[in-house]
Amino acid sequence: MKVLVFCALVAAAAAWPNFGFVNDGTGGASDAQKQHDVNYLLFKVYEDVRDENLHKLGETFDPEADTSHYSDNGEAVHKLVKELKDHRLLQQKHWFSLFNTRQREEALLLYDVLEHSNDWQTFVSNAAYFRNHVNEGEFVYALYAAVIHSSLTKNVVLPPLYEVTPHLFTNSEVIQEAYHAKMTQTPGKFRSHFTGSKKNPEQRVAYFGEDIGLNTHHVTWHLEFPFWWNDKHEGYHLDRKGENFFWVHHQLTVRFDAERLSNHLDPVNELHWEATIEEGFAPHTTYKYGGEFPSRPDNIHFEDVDGIAHIRDLIILENRIRDAIAHGYVTAHDGSTVDINNSHGIDVLGDVIESSTYSPNVEYYGSLHNTAHIVLGRQGDPHGKYDLPPGVLEHFETSTRDPAFFRLHKYMDNIFREHKDSLTPYTKEELEFSGVAIDGVSIDGPLETFFEDFEYSLVNAVDDTPQVADVAISTVVSRLNHKDFSFKIDVNNNNDHEVLATVRIFAWPHNDNNDIPYSFNEGRWRAIELDRFWTKLSPGVNHIVRKSTESAVTVPDVPSFDSLIERTEAALSAGSSEVDIHEFVSAVGVPNRFLIPKGNSEGLEFELVVAVTDGKADAAVEGLHENTVFNHYGYHGVYPDNRPHGYPLDRRVDDERIFHDLSNFHQHTVKIYNH
């Protein structure tokens, strides 16, 4: 880390309050200037902004002075300013949780102001002004959501959340060491350890749930596809949002199970409302302001949570959802029925279970997922006896740290499977790709994982003042990675013309933890999606090479705060309107380090599956073959693949011979090693 660079950059920022503004037709500022502004709005978010121009805007801007700069004629900003003047907003230096209804409403008031800003000057002026007046957690959430969804910021890269709000990602023992380093002006690099001890079997897979890249993936997905999204208000529809909710959490669950098998643990058991919560959890993390995250002891029974829900209410909601699956339809708010006995049904069911504003009948089916997060997170203090702050499950940033998160989502996943298994299996005719055959599949390079050290800055974790120089403070954490490899796929197109094809790559564990092979039907439900891309097949043999680094389901690490600022200032100093960081614009995919599970030293066996399907039939948009690298976890607009997530493995398989007779389907066993 080059934390000392910040001092020079902060001083440089004060020297040019208006540098970089050009008329580019997208709001009056270059991409480089927008990146600069976002960097400094989020840098040291609990302190005064360290950019002179932004500081001046924060002190002098009047959000209500000229409402012609808002697409809603100032309606949103009038609401927020009134709440501010009436002293109804959450105070600064206080914890924030998106699951707290009032706090979420306040954050979305600011989000609405930013989203309705017609130009960048209005956007950034509001951000600078309200940074001084709203709760810091609400500000960070609103700004992240606005940057992700605003047309003004489509090329802006958001800094990694683990460096913006390090307390949510870093053990409190390390935070204390960081404070000591700051107070003594002594540079420090501190080792972070995962929670728990070797006495806890869950410690073996803590590297997965507590990985800061995985935490970032989870929270970023929920920012891209928020449950509060309203089409009429926001102006566009999030296509297949409910199905995406199912798929991203299904993949987290099956990946977690694969990591457990890699460490000689059974797959995680689903949670039951009337059964014991066997695994406790001690987060070892502390809010920046508000105390420690609550712990949960081992072997407790669910209790009602005051003001949130009774356990019997959650059981009733679950039964209503299972009843809808059994009947094949959901009852809408107006009494009509919505058919779910089809490929689109999973999308409706995802909206119901989460639930989002897309739910056909939230009054009847409730909000099983969101309420369950709160109820499970509050089991350490369900009646508020000790006035504890929210638990880790009440933050998307921290929820995967708790092993109970995966038990909760195994429970949700089994409800989804109940629906999926109710659908008619695919026939051989539906799965065939006429004239196309896979001649062979091999892997170039080792399927080998390893652990490496990763360092990130804790400068934003400690209290600060401009009068005291920064010192280099960082933490080092161990994380899983893998060696690069490539899939080599030979496909024979026996047609006399070029065809468009979709290549779908999966892997599932060959055996369970008792060394008993999974059946095809059980294995396909546990399949990890490794890649999905489109290509054109010329007549004859086609040699396809797909690198692991090109996977459409993963993303690289977002550049550090330090790196973002350095690159941005360099671009501005060179007079450039852009910063060369476009590959990091979307951070919603699985970390590219987690493409394959850990495996073990003997080599853990997995079934590698490749399916080549008819791209013309798959395509929902034109030009699929021109877009082979998009991240399908965070796709906006019409989703380009017509097929359900997981296709062709998404439905039950009563007779696996159907797949083995397909020329466009390939399966063989591989081993993943960890050294």
Side-chain angles (χ1 to χ4, degrees), residues 128-275:
Y129 176 81
F130 287 109
R131 186 184 190 274
N132 293 341
H133 295 91
V134 304
N135 173 269
E136 297 88 351
E138 293 179 354
F139 173 80
V140 169
Y141 183 83
L143 184 58
Y144 266 74
V147 168
I148 286 171
H149 293 286
S150 174
S151 60
L152 297 173
T153 50
K154 61 182 180 180
N155 294 320
V156 171
V157 174
L158 286 159
L161 268 169
Y162 49 81
E163 290 192 338
V164 176
T165 54
H167 284 75
L168 296 177
F169 301 88
T170 312
N171 288 357
S172 53
E173 297 90 342
V174 174
I175 297 294
Q176 287 181 320
E177 292 181 290
Y179 269 106
H180 182 266
K182 177 68 176 182
M183 289 187 291
T184 60
Q185 286 289 283
T186 306
K189 184 187 297 185
F190 309 107
R191 167 68 64 176
S192 284
H193 298 282
F194 300 120
T195 59
S197 69
K198 291 182 180 180
K199 293 180 179 180
N200 180 7
E202 296 299 322
Q203 177 74 6
R204 300 184 212 168
V205 287
Y207 66 85
F208 184 79
E210 296 183 29
D211 184 88
I212 57 175
L214 188 75
N215 302 155
T216 301
H217 159 60
H218 186 235
V219 66
T220 305
W221 186 89
H222 281 282
L223 280 161
E224 292 263 5
F225 296 93
F227 61 83
W228 46 261
W229 188 267
N230 184 300
D231 286 357
K232 184 181 294 186
H233 189 67
E234 306 301 336
Y236 63 93
H237 181 71
L238 297 178
D239 194 30
R240 291 168 65 173
K241 179 183 177 303
E243 184 184 6
N244 283 338
F245 169 79
F246 150 69
W247 186 245
V248 74
H249 291 93
H250 172 70
Q251 285 295 293
L252 283 176
T253 303
V254 297
R255 285 178 176 275
F256 184 62
D257 278 348
E259 299 299 339
R260 295 178 69 85
L261 289 174
S262 298
N263 291 278
H264 309 289
L265 294 172
D266 287 328
V268 68
N269 292 319
E270 70 172 336
L271 170 150
H272 288 286
W273 299 116
E274 297 171 306

Side-chain angles (χ1 to χ4, degrees), residues 576-619:
S576 174
S577 63
E578 296 185 353
V579 188
D580 187 18
I581 49 177
H582 298 91
E583 64 180 296
F584 307 108
V585 168
S586 175
V588 75
V590 176
N592 55 12
R593 303 172 287 103
F594 278 170
L595 179 60
I596 58 176
K598 170 177 167 279
N600 57 36
S601 57
E602 296 83 23
L604 188 63
E605 290 186 331
F606 281 80
E607 292 302 301
L608 178 67
V609 165
V610 178
V612 178
T613 59
D614 186 346
K616 184 177 180 181
D618 298 343

Side-chain angles (χ1 to χ4, degrees), residues 87 91 105 126 135 140 162 166 182 231 234 236 293 300 314 316 381 398 428 441 454 464 494 596:
H87 305 289
Q91 69 266 33
E105 290 171 350
N126 274 296
N135 173 269
V140 169
Y162 49 81
K182 177 68 176 182
D231 286 357
E234 306 301 336
Y236 63 93
F293 279 87
I300 65 170
L314 293 171
I316 290 171
D381 185 26
T398 59
K428 182 180 178 182
V441 175
F454 177 71
D464 200 13
N494 295 308
I596 58 176

Side-chain angles (χ1 to χ4, degrees), residues 416-423 521 524-525 651-652:
F416 282 119
R417 183 175 184 178
E418 191 172 317
H419 161 70
K420 279 289 192 176
D421 283 355
S422 72
L423 301 179
N521 187 51
R524 61 95 199 167
W525 182 254
R651 295 192 183 185
R652 76 175 193 271

